[in-house]
Amino acid sequence: MLQIRPARPVDLPGIAAVLEDTFDDPLRLLFGERRDRAPRLLELAFRGPVERGYTGILVAERDARVIGLLTLEPIVYTPRERRQIEHLARTELGLLRLLRAAFVLWLITHPTEPDEAHIGLLAVAADSQGEGIAGRLLVEAEIWARDHDRQRLTICLSERSA
């Protein structure tokens, strides 16, 4: 049975696996020969907010396996969490790849308004696509936005994902 719920710390490896599966090509470009280091960085990117109880990181779970993910921004990081992410990214990627990644993220980042919830990531594992999971995640995102007094729910689609 499919369950949509806020992410918990135990979900972090599953979240990383879904993102690796969904964004394989960009991660390969970013990590190059260090591709096996992606899970640590992906898990760290969500660890702080999830551990602090941020409910805007939604997972789709079936049979105790995370098969989908939707993030609602803005996701807030503490200064300590930012330093940890930056340190690990510099260590795992190297300075040149980190600068390239930071530039690309800067280009595609959507600045949110106070009354807005923005869908930053929407990903479904390849072996679960075509089952309506993304649609279920979007419905839960609408409920989350309403429950958190957000007047607008936005998403930016790339040509590849549209």
Side-chain angles (χ1 to χ4, degrees):
M1 181 167 148
L2 183 68
Q3 179 185 14
I4 309 292
R5 59 172 174 72
R8 301 182 297 234
V10 70
D11 298 321
L12 293 170
I15 288 170
V18 168
L19 291 173
E20 282 187 282
D21 186 34
T22 306
F23 299 106
D24 183 57
D25 290 340
L27 287 173
R28 189 176 299 116
L29 286 173
L30 185 59
F31 283 89
E33 295 175 14
R34 298 176 172 181
R35 179 72 167 74
D36 60 322
R37 298 178 180 187
R40 284 184 56 204
L41 189 54
L42 293 172
E43 287 182 37
L44 185 60
F46 297 103
R47 176 168 285 121
V50 167
E51 287 179 349
R52 283 185 282 106
Y54 178 61
T55 60
I57 299 171
L58 303 174
V59 295
E61 177 188 55
R62 183 186 304 138
D63 300 327
R65 176 181 166 228
V66 174
I67 57 172
L69 168 74
L70 184 144
T71 63
L72 291 155
E73 297 177 4
I75 298 174
V76 178
Y77 295 93
T78 66
R80 181 175 180 263
E81 290 164 354
R82 285 187 185 279
R83 284 191 306 273
Q84 288 176 326
I85 293 168
E86 289 168 5
H87 175 74
L88 184 60
R90 192 172 46 249
T91 302
E92 300 297 340
L93 297 174
L95 186 57
L96 197 54
R97 286 181 188 267
L98 176 59
L99 290 172
R100 182 177 6 165
F103 178 70
V104 170
L105 287 173
W106 175 77
L107 285 174
I108 63 172
T109 298
H110 174 81
T112 57
E113 299 293 327
D115 69 337
E116 174 186 14
H118 180 75
I119 297 169
L121 292 171
L122 176 57
V124 176
D127 64 354
S128 299
Q129 292 178 1
E131 299 177 21
I133 295 165
R136 293 273 309 274
L137 283 162
L138 288 167
V139 167
E140 291 299 318
E142 287 180 294
I143 294 167
W144 186 95
R146 195 175 315 116
D147 289 349
H148 290 82
D149 298 321
R150 306 297 165 83
Q151 303 302 311
R152 299 178 301 138
L153 178 63
T154 59
I155 187 169
C156 295
L157 298 174
S158 70
E159 282 186 38
R160 185 172 181 196
S161 64

